[in-house]
Amino acid sequence: RSFVRSRNHKYTGVLVDGIGTTNLNVIGAEMAAQSTARYIEEKFDWIMTEDPAAIASDYLKSIHNELLEQAILYNKPIQEFASTIMAICVDESKNRYCALHLGDGIIMYKRDNGQIRVMSFPEVGFYSVRTTLTTTKGADSRLSIKRGSAECIDQIALMTDGIYRISPSAQTFEKVF
């Protein structure tokens, strides 16, 4: 699931990849995408200055609580609603960005000089079949939090493992931009 929006000088993009073992992961992924977009927009200033451990704990607690509500509603284990998450929010008025990344996706950007860079690498590497999900115990210690100036960033891409595993090469990434 993906979620993109622009409001109040903030541009937000979220990509959530459900685990694929049941059709309930679609419900979990949709909820996680919307919840993550709301979280990163509303807490942007706090994310920019807070300790990463506090951010990870707060964010994953909020996601876990929403997933738990779905698990109770459907009378299913919470793990059936699990996903990986990549999210970016750029505040144009402050020329700053923050990103949250859990799991095996990749966040890349293209600088205004044409250089393509990785903002956040896959948590377990390009070819691993195991990754950290929203329901994984200890996920807060694996959440990657990136933040900084958006001054030289021209474009940003969020990619699931399905894209970069096909051909993890510079040519593949150049085609994205």
Side-chain angles (χ1 to χ4, degrees), residues 40-48 89 91 96 98:
I40 201 168
E41 289 170 350
E42 290 175 1
K43 296 198 172 199
F44 184 90
D45 292 328
W46 182 74
I47 293 169
M48 292 303 296
C89 184
D91 186 327
R96 310 272 299 157
C98 64

Side-chain angles (χ1 to χ4, degrees), residues 100-120:
L100 305 175
H101 182 188
L102 182 68
D104 58 3
I106 190 169
I107 302 175
M108 302 188 71
Y109 64 98
K110 184 175 184 180
R111 296 175 53 91
D112 54 11
N113 66 4
Q115 291 179 324
I116 297 171
R117 301 276 173 95
V118 174
M119 182 182 293
S120 185

